[in-house]
Amino acid sequence: MSFFEVIDPVFATYVLGNAPVKRLATGFDWVEGPVWFGDAGCLLFSDIPNNRIVRYTPGEGVTTYRQPSNYANGHTRDRQGRLISCEHGTRRVTRREWDGTVTVIADRYQGKRLNSPNDVVVAADGGIWFTDPHYGIMSDYEGYRAEQELPCNVYRVDPDGTLEAVITDMNCPNGLAFSPDESLLYVADTGRMFSADPRHIRVHPMRDGRPGEGRLFHAIEPGCADGFRVDTDGNLWSSAADGVHCIAPDGHLMGKILVPELVSNVCFGGRAKQQLFITATTSLYGLTLNRSGVQRP
Ligand code: MG
């Protein structure tokens, strides 16, 4: 069997024919939010319904990193390497300081509670960008069912703490990432829960540090772009229902990594940033690519 489906012949050079897609750990309920710690040689990711963050160390396996996790979902690291987390349960974005204390980055906008921050990235200027769909408050599965107080926006937190809604016309923004030079912002709209909303990735040109008007970039089929990361040439590696799809900067599908479970998120890691870690329903998968991911810091 092949682990890959080549659609554009160039994709055959992105993968290694003898590098398997391996299931690294399993037994979770719904995993998301992988983030690589090269300094600690480990990956953290969320097992959301079990209210915990799991640590995977290659060669050693998994341990519980934090429980309860406030139903944390997406994670990233800021420019100082600190862990930034989106928490459904507390409806906030937090930063874990070097001494272990927790700083709240954002929990309200214009006096109203955020919905359930989902995914987060940090730009070169230290701005923290996150999506705030309603998925974590629509049921008691991935957080606590609650009334929605705000539309589902994309926010930016300035290093001075100012919170600004920067994209306000999506149904449910979810995954997001910058192009390698940060001239473009990609954001997925995965639609309101229990709806037939369209699901697609939008691209926004960045102007003076803010997103300009967006346009349709790519619609994942089958599935949706819950999460994605970018390689050094600007290809998007996105979740899909049948695995991970690689999408070129011009928006065409290059090829697929086939994964036997529904994929949620991905991230690059490892010594050469060529390991792609894939969170997929009950399991963590990984493989070595012939591409390097953009990793900040
Ligand atoms: Mg997500």
Side-chain angles (χ1 to χ4, degrees):
M1 71 163 273
S2 173
F3 296 109
F4 311 110
E5 186 178 325
V6 176
I7 293 156
D8 183 319
V10 174
F11 184 73
T13 69
Y14 290 4
V15 295
L16 300 162
N18 61 347
V21 176
K22 285 172 76 173
R23 180 186 279 175
L24 303 173
T26 192
F28 313 107
D29 281 359
W30 177 254
V31 287
E32 292 210 41
V35 57
W36 176 249
F37 281 72
D39 41 0
C42 71
L43 181 87
L44 300 183
F45 60 96
S46 299
D47 180 8
I48 304 176
N50 291 308
N51 200 10
R52 65 175 166 164
I53 299 172
V54 179
R55 170 172 38 210
Y56 168 73
T57 307
E60 292 183 21
V62 293
T63 52
T64 295
Y65 174 74
R66 191 186 309 152
Q67 189 173 34
S69 63
N70 298 326
Y71 292 92
N73 184 338
H75 306 278
T76 193
R77 301 179 73 182
D78 71 5
R79 310 304 291 185
Q80 290 74 38
R82 296 170 294 190
L83 179 66
I84 308 286
S85 300
C86 293
E87 300 178 359
H88 287 181
T90 40
R91 301 170 67 171
R92 64 187 191 179
V93 178
T94 59
R95 179 175 63 228
R96 177 77 41 162
E97 308 292 350
W98 290 323
D99 65 2
T101 55
V102 171
T103 301
V104 178
I105 303 290
D107 62 354
R108 285 176 183 270
Y109 179 67
Q110 295 180 339
K112 296 175 180 160
R113 295 191 76 187
L114 298 176
N115 298 316
S116 50
N118 188 293
D119 209 346
V120 58
V121 292
V122 177
D125 66 0
I128 299 169
W129 296 65
F130 69 93
T131 56
D132 187 39
H134 64 191
Y135 304 124
I137 54 171
M138 293 295 282
S139 76
D140 284 310
Y141 183 53
E142 294 189 43
Y144 305 98
R145 185 195 296 268
E147 283 298 313
Q148 182 175 346
E149 298 178 26
L150 287 166
C152 299
N153 295 326
V154 180
Y155 295 95
R156 175 183 182 273
V157 188
D158 193 84
D160 73 7
T162 307
L163 179 64
E164 178 186 354
V166 284
I167 298 176
T168 57
D169 63 345
M170 283 189 162
N171 288 315
C172 262
N174 195 330
L176 78 171
F178 285 104
S179 61
D181 65 1
E182 298 192 1
S183 65
L184 302 170
L185 173 68
Y186 298 97
V187 185
D189 188 343
T190 49
R192 287 166 297 172
M193 209 163 177
F194 314 120
S195 82
D197 289 343
R199 289 161 167 77
H200 51 241
I201 303 171
R202 229 198 248 173
V203 61
H204 294 258
M206 292 292 291
R207 296 195 184 97
D208 301 325
R210 298 294 183 277
E213 184 154 353
R215 64 176 171 79
L216 175 66
F217 173 70
H218 183 92
I220 296 287
E221 180 60 44
C224 64
D226 190 339
F228 44 84
R229 289 290 182 267
V230 175
D231 71 24
T232 51
D233 285 333
N235 299 299
L236 246 68
W237 297 78
S238 173
S239 69
D242 56 353
V244 177
H245 291 191
C246 176
I247 304 146
D250 69 2
H252 83 277
L253 178 62
M254 304 282 287
K256 302 179 180 184
I257 300 163
L258 302 174
V259 179
E261 295 184 74
L262 178 65
V263 173
S264 59
N265 293 174
V266 303
C267 84
F268 286 93
R271 173 178 58 81
K273 304 183 180 76
Q274 294 185 337
Q275 292 285 126
L276 189 69
F277 293 102
I278 302 165
T279 50
T281 312
T282 69
S283 306
L284 173 71
Y285 293 84
L287 83 159
T288 303
L289 293 171
N290 195 27
R291 311 294 303 159
S292 290
V294 172
Q295 241 179 25
R296 301 182 179 91

